[in-house]
Each structure stands twice: as structure tokens, then as C-alpha cells.
Amino acid sequence: MASLENKAAAEADLVYRLEDKPPFFNSLVSAITHLLAIFVPMVTPALIVGNVLQLPVEMTAYLVSMSMVASGIGTFLQVNRFGIVGSGMLSIQSVNFSFVGVMISLGLSMKEGGLDEHTMISTLLGVSFAGAFLVCASAWALPYLKRVITPTVSGVVVLLIGLSLIDVGITDFGGGFHTKNTPEFGSLQNIGLASFVLIIVLLFNCMRNPFLRMSGIAVGLIAGYLAALVMGMVDFSPLQNAPLFTIPTPFKYGFAFDWAAFWVAGVIYLLSVFEAVGDLTATAMVSAQPYEGEEFQKRLRGGVLADGLVSVIATALGSLPLTTFAQNNGVIQMTGVASRHVGKFIAAILVLCGLFPIIGRAFTTIPHPVLGGAMVLMFGLIAIAGVRIIMTHGITRREAVIAATSVGIGLGVAFEPEVFKLLPEVFRNAIAAGGITAVVLNLILPHDKHDKTVYLAE
């Protein structure tokens, strides 16, 4: 009864329902609104990975371009629902932020091992390509995975992802990794510019209008970029001699594989399945669709399967892995447009943007402090999201022990990765070490039915 009432309430708030076809102009405006919510988070992961690993400009620009192309292809698959593939809802695909810290950690280890940029990227994308098939397989194993990967396990991993990325954000805040050990790092100019961006983002985040709140990071980056222009901090050299058109090339940098890196990526992939399940459930709710029963399970399975296939396509083309994006559920609620046909407009715009390399290269000209000012808040929010997931259904003494031990191991590895030098390399990655610890403890620690120590979520 409650679900029927919620569905009726959602339907009453919708201007265009799932199968409605809005007029062209309305569809275009709705598509642009959705793009504002995902565009910055979609291209930022490639920029961060490229900057930290100090990749050549053309390589970073290609990663950005392919992020847009892959997101467009993925969105098209999701909204159209080809057979068993796709949710058939307005589910937007974008780059999975969970992989940023893992890519950076693995990439830095490979660089220390003497690998050149091409071999490093081909290995990172190769293990991501192979790992994406785990998501495809998990689409049929969702009931079993829920018993192993609980909210506590998922929350611990998300928390560790956020905490590990804060180091990247604060380094960009001070000027970027390339300025470390130079007078430029932490200069008043860099700190001032980054603080200006952070203040803009915070101001917009405090506004009551949902659209303005969602646009806060984009506005902050634009304001910071304009300020950097005035201060003479923008380098336009990456835009010189840019080709007119980018041709997506499968395995452009070759294909390489590393088992240790694969296990790290595999852990993150399996945990991202539950992020996708949560996002798809929320999309069904705000779209006035059933979020339980056989029809919903088909949508869920199709959405997760599409997630995996899209990541296969994305990593083959040269993008980081993709997943469904939660931000767009807020856009559906704000605009009342749940029509999946709007997704076709979004997909077309993304692919077109990705095919013109000048767009990807333009993003590489954003100064590091501008990115850092926005990323410090964004990565902090990822960590807080992990805490909220842990507290979803309250937390008993058992769950508290699992979370505390896993976070302790994960952060300990982040501070001293050599402590597990005698173990497989997967244990020298903070996120993987913490996640594996959480899974193992969740399987072996007994449940105490008499434990009354329960802290409820707000």
C-alpha cells in the first residue's frame, strides 16, 4: 500500500512520465539541465588521473573526450533497453568516481616500477576492461551478493575512497603534484585562488533553489577559471595544433594486464554494483515506477548489466569505467521530467562533445588550484556519503567493529603501504585492503542477537 501511495505521489509531481515524448525544445532544455548536473563530475576524474600521473596533454585530453563519448553510448543503452540490456529509465551514465583513487594508486606504483605512460595506461585500462565483466556477471547474482556486501561493507569502501582522494584534492589546492618541493607549492596565489573557488561552491551549496545548488561546482570552476585568466595563470598551449576531430580508437594505447591490479579493480567493481542498485532504485521511485516486484527486478538486472557492458566499451575506447549517476535523480524531481526519451538527447550531445578534441583539451587548461578548490569539498562529501551508507539501518556493536577495523587497516596501508610488503600487492592499496577486511569480517564475525547497542541513522 505504501509503495502505491508513493507511486501516486510521484506521478502527481511529474510533468512528463517515463514513456512520454516531450516536444523538441522541452527535451533539449531538460537534457541540458541533466548535463549541468553531470558534466563537471564526468570529466573531472580523467583530469585528476591525468594530472596526478603527469600524463601528456594529448593523452589526458583523449581520456576526457572518451569519457564523454562513452557516457553518451552508455546513456543510450540504458534509456532504450535493448532486450535484457538497460533499465529503460532515464538512467544517465557517467564516469565512476570510485576508480579515481585506485587508478592513481596503481598508476603511481607502476611508474615507480619503471613503466612508461603508454604501458601504464594500457595496463590500467586493460584490468578495468577485464574487471567490467564481473559487473555483467553480477547482474544475475544480485540476491547472493547482498548477503556478502552489506551497507557496512559498501560504506567502508566509499569512506576510504573519499579519504584517500582528499590528499589529491588538497595537493591541487596548493598548486598540484608537479609543484611539490618548489616555492610555488602552497603559494598565496594558489591558496587564494583555490579558496575563492571553495567559497563560491559553498555559497551556492547554501542556496534554497535546487538547480543553483546542483550548479554550485560548475559555477565555482567557471568563476575560478575567469579569476585565473585575470591572474595570468591559464596556459593555452594545449589548445595549439589540436586536431579538428577525434576518432575513437579501441585500445588506442594497446592492451596489457596485471593480476595484482585486476584484483584491486575487481573489488571496486563489485562494490560499485550496489551503488548502481541504489541509483536505479531511486530513479524508479522518482519516475513513478514500481521499485519492488518482478518488473523492477528486470529493470535492475538490465541496468546493472548495462553498467558492465558500458564499462567494457568505455575502457576499450580509453575512458575510465562508468556507472549510473545519482545526481540525475535530483534533476528528475526538480524538473518533473522522467521521460526516458530525453536521455536520447543527452546521449547525442555527449557523443558530439567527445568527438571534438578542442573540448577535451579546453578542460586540461584548468589550473590545479581551481580544481583543488572544488575537489576538497567533493571528496569530503564522498567520505561523508560513506558514513551515511554505514548508518543506513543503524549500527550495532558488530557493525562498528567491522567498520573501525576496516578503516583502521585501510588508512594504515595509506600511511605505510610497505607494512604488507610480504603479502600480495592488492593489500598495499588502501581501498582494497579496507574493503577486503570488511568483507572477511562480515563473513566470519557472529551475529549477537542480544546486542542492544544500536546507533540509528538520522
Side-chain angles (χ1 to χ4, degrees), residues 39 42-43 47 57 60-69 225 238-239 242-246 348-366:
F39 209 76
M42 177 179 60
V43 300
L47 290 176
V57 169
T60 301
Y62 184 79
L63 289 176
V64 172
S65 293
M66 289 306 102
S67 296
M68 291 185 273
V69 171
Y225 192 83
L239 301 180
L244 180 64
F245 195 75
T246 296
I349 295 172
L350 285 172
V351 171
L352 285 174
C353 287
L355 292 177
F356 293 96
I358 193 69
I359 297 175
R361 292 204 178 205
F363 281 102
T364 66
T365 66
I366 301 175

Side-chain angles (χ1 to χ4, degrees), residues 9-348:
E11 284 181 334
D13 291 334
L14 293 179
V15 179
Y16 294 107
R17 290 176 299 224
L18 185 68
E19 297 297 339
D20 291 344
K21 294 184 178 180
F24 178 85
F25 181 75
N26 290 9
S27 296
L28 185 61
V29 171
S30 296
I32 293 172
T33 305
H34 277 275
L35 288 171
L36 285 174
I38 70 164
F39 209 76
V40 172
M42 177 179 60
V43 300
T44 303
L47 290 176
I48 294 172
V49 171
N51 289 338
V52 176
L53 299 183
Q54 298 180 9
L55 301 179
V57 169
E58 61 273 11
M59 190 177 287
T60 301
Y62 184 79
L63 289 176
V64 172
S65 293
M66 289 306 102
S67 296
M68 291 185 273
V69 171
S71 295
I73 294 172
T75 299
F76 187 77
L77 284 177
Q78 282 283 16
V79 301
N80 280 285
R81 199 178 189 184
F82 295 97
I84 60 172
V85 178
S87 66
M89 299 185 292
L90 188 51
S91 305
I92 312 302
Q93 298 288 127
S94 189
V95 175
N96 192 337
F97 238 111
S98 300
F99 279 87
V100 174
V102 173
M103 289 286 193
I104 290 172
S105 177
L106 294 174
L108 291 175
S109 297
M110 292 174 188
K111 288 190 75 172
E112 291 173 2
L115 292 184
D116 60 86
E117 286 92 348
H118 278 70
T119 306
M120 176 182 62
I121 286 297
S122 67
T123 304
L124 290 175
L125 294 177
V127 297
S128 298
F129 173 83
F133 288 98
L134 294 175
V135 180
C136 297
S138 69
W140 279 271
L142 287 176
Y144 306 101
L145 288 175
K146 287 181 179 179
R147 300 174 186 174
V148 178
I149 305 178
T150 63
T152 300
V153 175
S154 299
V156 163
V157 173
V158 174
L159 173 59
L160 286 172
I161 288 169
L163 293 176
S164 64
L165 287 174
I166 286 174
D167 177 52
V168 175
I170 202 66
T171 301
D172 271 353
F173 202 95
F177 285 86
H178 69 288
T179 64
K180 274 194 168 184
N181 303 317
T182 70
E184 185 184 347
F185 187 71
S187 66
L188 289 177
Q189 185 182 49
N190 289 337
I191 297 297
L193 179 58
S195 298
F196 171 69
V197 174
L198 178 58
I199 290 170
I200 294 293
V201 175
L202 288 173
L203 286 174
F204 272 78
N205 194 58
C206 293
M207 293 184 177
R208 294 184 177 182
N209 187 298
F211 181 76
L212 292 178
R213 282 205 306 271
M214 286 187 298
S215 305
I217 292 179
V219 173
L221 289 176
I222 293 171
Y225 192 83
L226 293 175
L229 274 174
V230 174
M231 298 164 69
M233 295 177 63
V234 180
D235 178 16
F236 289 108
S237 60
L239 301 180
Q240 297 175 2
N241 302 318
L244 180 64
F245 195 75
T246 296
I247 300 176
T249 307
F251 303 110
K252 180 180 177 73
Y253 303 108
F255 182 89
F257 189 80
D258 180 86
W259 276 106
F262 171 76
W263 293 122
V264 176
V267 170
I268 306 303
Y269 263 125
L270 289 177
L271 290 166
S272 71
V273 169
F274 291 91
E275 179 184 349
V277 168
D279 294 342
L280 290 165
T281 302
T283 304
M285 293 173 66
V286 299
S287 302
Q289 297 301 304
Y291 47 94
E292 53 189 17
E294 185 177 348
E295 175 60 24
F296 172 66
Q297 291 303 320
K298 289 181 180 179
R299 287 193 187 277
L300 209 57
R301 190 182 303 119
V304 172
L305 179 58
D307 251 25
L309 290 176
V310 170
S311 288
V312 169
I313 296 170
T315 51
L317 292 179
S319 165
L320 272 63
L322 270 62
T323 189
T324 52
F325 232 44
Q327 284 90 327
N328 295 94
N329 294 323
V331 179
I332 293 174
Q333 287 183 299
M334 181 185 70
T335 61
V337 178
S339 170
R340 64 187 182 89
H341 298 285
V342 171
K344 300 173 185 177
F345 284 74
I346 298 171

